[in-house]
mmCIF file of all heavy atoms in Angstrom:
data_model
loop_
_atom_site.group_PDB
_atom_site.id
_atom_site.type_symbol
_atom_site.label_atom_id
_atom_site.label_comp_id
_atom_site.label_asym_id
_atom_site.label_seq_id
_atom_site.Cartn_x
_atom_site.Cartn_y
_atom_site.Cartn_z
ATOM 1 N N LYS A 343 87.208 95.176 67.054
ATOM 2 C CA LYS A 343 85.975 94.897 66.281
ATOM 3 C C LYS A 343 85.747 93.384 66.190
ATOM 4 O O LYS A 343 84.595 92.943 66.200
ATOM 5 C CB LYS A 343 86.057 95.522 64.907
ATOM 6 C CG LYS A 343 85.912 97.025 64.897
ATOM 7 C CD LYS A 343 85.980 97.588 63.494
ATOM 8 C CE LYS A 343 85.857 99.084 63.532
ATOM 9 N NZ LYS A 343 85.917 99.659 62.183
ATOM 10 N N LYS A 344 86.818 92.612 66.074
ATOM 11 C CA LYS A 344 86.660 91.180 65.896
ATOM 12 C C LYS A 344 86.379 90.466 67.200
ATOM 13 O O LYS A 344 85.511 89.601 67.254
ATOM 14 C CB LYS A 344 87.925 90.621 65.244
ATOM 15 C CG LYS A 344 87.819 89.141 64.952
ATOM 16 C CD LYS A 344 88.988 88.633 64.152
ATOM 17 C CE LYS A 344 88.814 87.176 63.840
ATOM 18 N NZ LYS A 344 89.873 86.656 62.992
ATOM 19 N N PHE A 345 87.126 90.800 68.272
ATOM 20 C CA PHE A 345 87.026 90.075 69.524
ATOM 21 C C PHE A 345 86.270 90.822 70.622
ATOM 22 O O PHE A 345 86.014 90.252 71.656
ATOM 23 C CB PHE A 345 88.434 89.714 70.044
ATOM 24 C CG PHE A 345 89.201 88.832 69.126
ATOM 25 C CD1 PHE A 345 90.294 89.307 68.435
ATOM 26 C CD2 PHE A 345 88.804 87.518 68.904
ATOM 27 C CE1 PHE A 345 91.000 88.514 67.556
ATOM 28 C CE2 PHE A 345 89.515 86.690 68.034
ATOM 29 C CZ PHE A 345 90.624 87.184 67.377
ATOM 30 N N GLY A 346 86.011 92.067 70.428
ATOM 31 C CA GLY A 346 85.324 92.869 71.421
ATOM 32 C C GLY A 346 86.296 93.734 72.218
ATOM 33 O O GLY A 346 87.424 93.338 72.459
ATOM 34 N N LYS A 347 85.824 94.917 72.610
ATOM 35 C CA LYS A 347 86.683 95.847 73.319
ATOM 36 C C LYS A 347 87.116 95.314 74.662
ATOM 37 O O LYS A 347 88.270 95.453 75.052
ATOM 38 C CB LYS A 347 85.932 97.183 73.479
ATOM 39 C CG LYS A 347 85.724 97.921 72.206
ATOM 40 C CD LYS A 347 84.933 99.181 72.457
ATOM 41 C CE LYS A 347 83.526 98.880 72.069
ATOM 42 N NZ LYS A 347 82.622 100.019 72.091
ATOM 43 N N ARG A 348 86.192 94.701 75.372
ATOM 44 C CA ARG A 348 86.484 94.186 76.701
ATOM 45 C C ARG A 348 87.547 93.066 76.628
ATOM 46 O O ARG A 348 88.509 93.082 77.428
ATOM 47 C CB ARG A 348 85.214 93.649 77.335
ATOM 48 C CG ARG A 348 85.405 93.015 78.663
ATOM 49 C CD ARG A 348 84.059 92.469 79.185
ATOM 50 N NE ARG A 348 84.252 91.614 80.316
ATOM 51 C CZ ARG A 348 84.355 90.301 80.205
ATOM 52 N NH1 ARG A 348 84.247 89.716 79.034
ATOM 53 N NH2 ARG A 348 84.516 89.524 81.257
ATOM 54 N N ASN A 349 87.404 92.155 75.720
ATOM 55 C CA ASN A 349 88.331 91.031 75.629
ATOM 56 C C ASN A 349 89.733 91.495 75.207
ATOM 57 O O ASN A 349 90.733 90.989 75.746
ATOM 58 C CB ASN A 349 87.835 89.982 74.638
ATOM 59 C CG ASN A 349 86.565 89.313 75.117
ATOM 60 O OD1 ASN A 349 86.331 89.231 76.334
ATOM 61 N ND2 ASN A 349 85.721 88.886 74.217
ATOM 62 N N VAL A 350 89.802 92.420 74.290
ATOM 63 C CA VAL A 350 91.110 92.926 73.843
ATOM 64 C C VAL A 350 91.794 93.698 74.971
ATOM 65 O O VAL A 350 92.990 93.557 75.176
ATOM 66 C CB VAL A 350 90.943 93.814 72.576
ATOM 67 C CG1 VAL A 350 92.209 94.527 72.246
ATOM 68 C CG2 VAL A 350 90.478 92.979 71.396
ATOM 69 N N THR A 351 91.003 94.483 75.744
ATOM 70 C CA THR A 351 91.594 95.203 76.842
ATOM 71 C C THR A 351 92.074 94.253 77.930
ATOM 72 O O THR A 351 93.182 94.445 78.488
ATOM 73 C CB THR A 351 90.525 96.175 77.440
ATOM 74 O OG1 THR A 351 90.087 97.046 76.389
ATOM 75 C CG2 THR A 351 91.129 96.997 78.532
ATOM 76 N N MET A 352 91.325 93.218 78.228
ATOM 77 C CA MET A 352 91.748 92.230 79.239
ATOM 78 C C MET A 352 93.022 91.521 78.777
ATOM 79 O O MET A 352 93.922 91.303 79.608
ATOM 80 C CB MET A 352 90.642 91.240 79.543
ATOM 81 C CG MET A 352 89.542 91.849 80.380
ATOM 82 S SD MET A 352 88.271 90.771 81.029
ATOM 83 C CE MET A 352 88.418 89.261 80.171
ATOM 84 N N PHE A 353 93.085 91.147 77.525
ATOM 85 C CA PHE A 353 94.319 90.485 77.024
ATOM 86 C C PHE A 353 95.475 91.475 77.066
ATOM 87 O O PHE A 353 96.616 91.055 77.390
ATOM 88 C CB PHE A 353 94.085 89.998 75.577
ATOM 89 C CG PHE A 353 95.280 89.302 74.997
ATOM 90 C CD1 PHE A 353 95.644 88.040 75.473
ATOM 91 C CD2 PHE A 353 96.046 89.905 74.038
ATOM 92 C CE1 PHE A 353 96.751 87.404 74.944
ATOM 93 C CE2 PHE A 353 97.159 89.246 73.512
ATOM 94 C CZ PHE A 353 97.508 88.018 73.979
ATOM 95 N N GLY A 354 95.245 92.735 76.829
ATOM 96 C CA GLY A 354 96.287 93.754 76.942
ATOM 97 C C GLY A 354 96.819 93.839 78.356
ATOM 98 O O GLY A 354 98.028 93.968 78.573
ATOM 99 N N PHE A 355 95.927 93.768 79.345
ATOM 100 C CA PHE A 355 96.388 93.799 80.739
ATOM 101 C C PHE A 355 97.191 92.547 81.096
ATOM 102 O O PHE A 355 98.118 92.620 81.901
ATOM 103 C CB PHE A 355 95.211 93.947 81.683
ATOM 104 C CG PHE A 355 94.659 95.344 81.736
ATOM 105 C CD1 PHE A 355 93.305 95.584 81.654
ATOM 106 C CD2 PHE A 355 95.513 96.433 81.846
ATOM 107 C CE1 PHE A 355 92.794 96.865 81.715
ATOM 108 C CE2 PHE A 355 95.022 97.721 81.894
ATOM 109 C CZ PHE A 355 93.661 97.946 81.850
ATOM 110 N N VAL A 356 96.852 91.442 80.507
ATOM 111 C CA VAL A 356 97.649 90.202 80.731
ATOM 112 C C VAL A 356 99.046 90.382 80.154
ATOM 113 O O VAL A 356 100.036 90.037 80.774
ATOM 114 C CB VAL A 356 96.912 88.966 80.108
ATOM 115 C CG1 VAL A 356 97.861 87.759 80.104
ATOM 116 C CG2 VAL A 356 95.678 88.644 80.861
ATOM 117 N N LEU A 357 99.139 90.939 78.928
ATOM 118 C CA LEU A 357 100.447 91.239 78.347
ATOM 119 C C LEU A 357 101.235 92.208 79.198
ATOM 120 O O LEU A 357 102.435 92.076 79.388
ATOM 121 C CB LEU A 357 100.299 91.775 76.933
ATOM 122 C CG LEU A 357 100.034 90.785 75.826
ATOM 123 C CD1 LEU A 357 99.891 91.526 74.500
ATOM 124 C CD2 LEU A 357 101.151 89.763 75.715
ATOM 125 N N TYR A 358 100.529 93.219 79.712
ATOM 126 C CA TYR A 358 101.178 94.216 80.564
ATOM 127 C C TYR A 358 101.771 93.553 81.809
ATOM 128 O O TYR A 358 102.890 93.841 82.200
ATOM 129 C CB TYR A 358 100.161 95.272 80.939
ATOM 130 C CG TYR A 358 100.779 96.583 81.415
ATOM 131 C CD1 TYR A 358 101.119 97.556 80.491
ATOM 132 C CD2 TYR A 358 101.047 96.802 82.747
ATOM 133 C CE1 TYR A 358 101.672 98.732 80.911
ATOM 134 C CE2 TYR A 358 101.620 97.977 83.170
ATOM 135 C CZ TYR A 358 101.938 98.962 82.249
ATOM 136 O OH TYR A 358 102.499 100.116 82.659
ATOM 137 N N ALA A 359 100.989 92.626 82.421
ATOM 138 C CA ALA A 359 101.488 91.913 83.580
ATOM 139 C C ALA A 359 102.683 91.029 83.241
ATOM 140 O O ALA A 359 103.651 90.967 84.025
ATOM 141 C CB ALA A 359 100.356 91.086 84.184
ATOM 142 N N LEU A 360 102.662 90.377 82.077
ATOM 143 C CA LEU A 360 103.790 89.529 81.694
ATOM 144 C C LEU A 360 105.053 90.373 81.459
ATOM 145 O O LEU A 360 106.149 89.958 81.818
ATOM 146 C CB LEU A 360 103.446 88.719 80.437
ATOM 147 C CG LEU A 360 102.433 87.597 80.631
ATOM 148 C CD1 LEU A 360 102.071 86.960 79.295
ATOM 149 C CD2 LEU A 360 102.968 86.564 81.595
ATOM 150 N N GLY A 361 104.886 91.516 80.822
ATOM 151 C CA GLY A 361 106.025 92.421 80.620
ATOM 152 C C GLY A 361 106.587 92.931 81.928
ATOM 153 O O GLY A 361 107.813 93.001 82.119
ATOM 154 N N SER A 362 105.707 93.233 82.865
ATOM 155 C CA SER A 362 106.169 93.673 84.187
ATOM 156 C C SER A 362 106.890 92.573 84.923
ATOM 157 O O SER A 362 107.911 92.804 85.575
ATOM 158 C CB SER A 362 104.968 94.148 85.031
ATOM 159 O OG SER A 362 104.361 95.296 84.447
ATOM 160 N N LEU A 363 106.345 91.348 84.833
ATOM 161 C CA LEU A 363 106.999 90.199 85.459
ATOM 162 C C LEU A 363 108.397 89.963 84.873
ATOM 163 O O LEU A 363 109.342 89.687 85.603
ATOM 164 C CB LEU A 363 106.119 88.968 85.296
ATOM 165 C CG LEU A 363 106.669 87.704 85.926
ATOM 166 C CD1 LEU A 363 106.673 87.804 87.435
ATOM 167 C CD2 LEU A 363 105.847 86.489 85.485
ATOM 168 N N THR A 364 108.515 90.089 83.549
ATOM 169 C CA THR A 364 109.781 89.890 82.899
ATOM 170 C C THR A 364 110.809 90.917 83.425
ATOM 171 O O THR A 364 111.955 90.568 83.719
ATOM 172 C CB THR A 364 109.639 90.056 81.388
ATOM 173 O OG1 THR A 364 108.682 89.105 80.908
ATOM 174 C CG2 THR A 364 110.953 89.838 80.654
ATOM 175 N N CYS A 365 110.402 92.177 83.510
ATOM 176 C CA CYS A 365 111.315 93.222 84.019
ATOM 177 C C CYS A 365 111.655 92.969 85.485
ATOM 178 O O CYS A 365 112.785 93.235 85.922
ATOM 179 C CB CYS A 365 110.660 94.601 83.874
ATOM 180 S SG CYS A 365 110.468 95.098 82.153
ATOM 181 N N TRP A 366 110.702 92.501 86.239
ATOM 182 C CA TRP A 366 110.935 92.237 87.654
ATOM 183 C C TRP A 366 111.885 91.081 87.921
ATOM 184 O O TRP A 366 112.701 91.090 88.824
ATOM 185 C CB TRP A 366 109.574 92.006 88.357
ATOM 186 C CG TRP A 366 109.689 91.769 89.833
ATOM 187 C CD1 TRP A 366 110.013 92.700 90.776
ATOM 188 C CD2 TRP A 366 109.522 90.547 90.516
ATOM 189 N NE1 TRP A 366 110.000 92.109 92.020
ATOM 190 C CE2 TRP A 366 109.721 90.770 91.876
ATOM 191 C CE3 TRP A 366 109.177 89.267 90.090
ATOM 192 C CZ2 TRP A 366 109.608 89.794 92.837
ATOM 193 C CZ3 TRP A 366 109.089 88.273 91.050
ATOM 194 C CH2 TRP A 366 109.275 88.518 92.373
ATOM 195 N N LEU A 367 111.757 90.042 87.059
ATOM 196 C CA LEU A 367 112.596 88.853 87.259
ATOM 197 C C LEU A 367 114.057 89.066 86.836
ATOM 198 O O LEU A 367 114.969 88.463 87.407
ATOM 199 C CB LEU A 367 112.004 87.666 86.478
ATOM 200 C CG LEU A 367 110.709 87.058 87.032
ATOM 201 C CD1 LEU A 367 110.231 85.981 86.087
ATOM 202 C CD2 LEU A 367 110.948 86.521 88.418
ATOM 203 N N PHE A 368 114.277 89.918 85.849
ATOM 204 C CA PHE A 368 115.642 90.141 85.326
ATOM 205 C C PHE A 368 115.990 91.636 85.323
ATOM 206 O O PHE A 368 116.208 92.200 84.249
ATOM 207 C CB PHE A 368 115.762 89.559 83.911
ATOM 208 C CG PHE A 368 115.372 88.129 83.819
ATOM 209 C CD1 PHE A 368 114.133 87.734 83.359
ATOM 210 C CD2 PHE A 368 116.281 87.164 84.191
ATOM 211 C CE1 PHE A 368 113.772 86.408 83.270
ATOM 212 C CE2 PHE A 368 115.911 85.801 84.116
ATOM 213 C CZ PHE A 368 114.675 85.424 83.639
ATOM 214 N N PRO A 369 116.074 92.268 86.469
ATOM 215 C CA PRO A 369 116.309 93.706 86.487
ATOM 216 C C PRO A 369 117.717 94.138 86.097
ATOM 217 O O PRO A 369 117.915 95.306 85.775
ATOM 218 C CB PRO A 369 116.014 94.092 87.954
ATOM 219 C CG PRO A 369 116.324 92.888 88.730
ATOM 220 C CD PRO A 369 115.950 91.724 87.826
ATOM 221 N N HIS A 370 118.675 93.232 86.090
ATOM 222 C CA HIS A 370 120.063 93.598 85.782
ATOM 223 C C HIS A 370 120.473 93.293 84.342
ATOM 224 O O HIS A 370 121.625 93.590 83.991
ATOM 225 C CB HIS A 370 121.001 92.897 86.783
ATOM 226 C CG HIS A 370 120.729 93.280 88.191
ATOM 227 N ND1 HIS A 370 120.919 94.535 88.690
ATOM 228 C CD2 HIS A 370 120.239 92.559 89.205
ATOM 229 C CE1 HIS A 370 120.589 94.577 89.968
ATOM 230 N NE2 HIS A 370 120.155 93.395 90.310
#
Side-chain angles (χ1 to χ4, degrees):
K343 287 181 182 179
K344 184 173 182 176
F345 299 111
K347 292 177 259 186
R348 177 181 166 267
N349 294 333
V350 170
T351 304
M352 286 189 345
F353 181 71
F355 284 133
V356 169
L357 280 178
Y358 200 88
L360 289 175
S362 295
L363 180 68
T364 302
C365 293
W366 181 71
L367 288 175
F368 304 100
H370 300 293

